[in-house]
Amino acid sequence: FCHLLHKLIRDGHRRVPEESHRFISRIKQLGQFWKHLNTSGYGICNETYSKLLVERLEFHRKYPVMPGSLILTESQIKTLESDLDNAFEMTIDMLDQMDNLLSLQSKVYDAMECLRWSSLVPQGQCLLAPLILVILDTSKFYDYLVKMIFKLHGQLPPDALEGHRTRFREVFRRTKKFYEESSNLQYFKYLVSIPTLPSAAPNFLQASDLDSYQTPHAYLHSEGSEDGQSVTADEVLLDLGAEEQQTQQQSQSHSAAQVDPRLAMIRETFKGNSV
């Protein structure tokens, strides 16, 4: 369920995050349920995943400009950067999102090691499958964080952003380790393109570092492009009216084809008498 909801948030209709927010209490209950089932190997992972989804939905509610796919245009990024207070707070919230994603990754890898499951067995692949979305999400959040924190350093004194730099360095270390470990797993090789991060984190105190920065690109191999394609804003997900009309037409045709032959004889008799 958690994996499906995560995928719908990313690749589903643009209103999925908004419509899903009213079910947050149920997702929290689901997390509490799994919290007490630590014997299966899935308990702590599902609890962590539930927490991630709750905070992800809260994030989209707080920042409706950010779509579930996390894909922003350059003009949208510049608009976010132009509001200093909003950019300062949003980078903190994105660091929180990175912590949640990396926490799920850590719990999954710990469970795999504890249970001694390989990435080639069904049980291991079931645990690893959500990490494909984690790879896609972390690459986006990482990119926006780098660009926005550099922008903040151009407008605020370095001391005011010490907390940002400290947290980002830790996020960088964990993300780099995650990508390197995942690149060695056979399961991911033919499913997702995993970015390679530089040996050292960007130096936000040196503005020229932004010029040499390269955006990490993660995408599904089956889609052949970065993050694939999600449903467009105006695209109709399901035309129930057309489907119902088609069903009625098929039903009428089916009924006509199965007319009782005795009824047909009676009709012919009445036609003859009327003549």
Side-chain angles (χ1 to χ4, degrees):
F1 168 78
C2 290
H3 186 196
L4 177 60
L5 177 57
H6 191 179
K7 190 165 183 61
L8 285 173
I9 291 173
R10 275 193 52 85
D11 302 326
H13 193 268
R14 62 183 176 85
R15 290 180 59 87
V16 169
E18 178 184 350
E19 295 293 336
S20 300
H21 188 271
R22 56 196 172 112
F23 298 108
I24 274 184
S25 60
R26 295 189 181 183
I27 302 174
K28 289 180 179 178
Q29 291 174 1
L30 182 65
Q32 288 298 315
F33 170 79
W34 281 102
K35 182 178 181 179
H36 303 289
L37 296 177
N38 293 327
T39 56
S40 66
Y42 291 94
I44 188 65
C45 295
N46 284 332
E47 179 195 357
T48 305
Y49 210 167
S50 299
K51 178 178 180 292
L52 181 155
L53 291 172
V54 167
E55 297 196 11
R56 178 66 171 269
L57 291 173
E58 294 285 10
F59 177 83
H60 287 298
R61 185 179 181 87
K62 186 175 181 179
Y63 304 103
V65 67
M66 180 72 77
S69 63
L70 304 181
I71 299 176
L72 294 174
T73 63
E74 287 298 324
S75 61
Q76 288 175 318
I77 296 175
K78 290 180 180 179
T79 301
L80 291 174
E81 293 173 344
S82 63
D83 187 338
L84 188 60
D85 292 336
N86 183 71
F88 187 93
E89 187 172 358
M90 189 175 186
T91 48
I92 294 175
D93 290 333
M94 286 196 290
L95 286 166
D96 291 340
Q97 291 297 309
M98 287 290 287
D99 284 340
N100 291 336
L101 291 163
L102 293 169
S103 178
L104 175 61
Q105 171 266 320
S106 177
K107 294 294 190 295
V108 168
Y109 279 6
D110 288 346
M112 292 279 292
E113 184 176 354
C114 180
L115 297 169
R116 297 183 179 181
W117 284 347
S118 165
S119 66
L120 300 179
V121 300
Q123 299 94 322
Q125 293 178 0
C126 182
L127 272 175
L128 290 173
L131 296 190
I132 294 176
L133 302 182
V134 172
I135 291 171
L136 299 176
D137 284 350
T138 51
S139 68
K140 281 297 181 186
F141 278 126
Y142 176 90
D143 183 46
Y144 299 146
L145 279 168
V146 171
K147 293 174 180 177
M148 293 180 71
I149 294 177
F150 264 117
K151 188 69 174 181
L152 287 172
H153 275 78
Q155 298 175 307
L156 294 174
D159 292 346
L161 297 167
E162 175 62 32
H164 284 67
R165 292 194 300 274
T166 301
R167 288 193 64 186
F168 183 85
R169 283 194 295 268
E170 178 62 17
V171 162
F172 172 84
R173 183 191 66 80
R174 295 172 65 191
T175 305
K176 182 176 175 62
K177 181 182 178 183
F178 169 38
Y179 288 171
E180 290 175 349
E181 290 179 347
S182 300
S183 298
N184 295 325
L185 291 180
Q186 190 71 23
Y187 174 73
F188 292 119
K189 287 187 176 180
Y190 301 104
L191 295 175
V192 60
S193 175
I194 302 175
T196 301
L197 297 185
S199 57
N203 183 2
F204 295 112
L205 299 177
Q206 188 172 344
S208 59
D209 260 23
L210 182 59
D211 297 332
S212 59
Y213 168 72
Q214 294 184 348
T215 298
H217 293 291
Y219 58 88
L220 300 177
H221 289 310
S222 60
E223 295 172 343
S225 61
E226 185 179 351
D227 290 339
Q229 295 179 346
S230 59
V231 179
T232 59
D234 299 324
E235 185 175 347
V236 177
L237 294 179
L238 184 62
D239 191 346
L240 295 177
E243 183 178 355
E244 183 178 357
Q245 183 178 3
Q246 183 180 3
T247 303
Q248 290 176 351
Q249 291 175 351
Q250 291 176 349
S251 177
Q252 291 173 357
S253 300
H254 184 67
S255 299
Q258 292 185 339
V259 175
D260 192 326
R262 291 173 296 180
L263 180 58
M265 291 177 61
I266 294 173
R267 288 176 177 172
E268 290 296 328
T269 302
F270 275 107
K271 285 182 180 179
N273 291 337
S274 62
V275 174

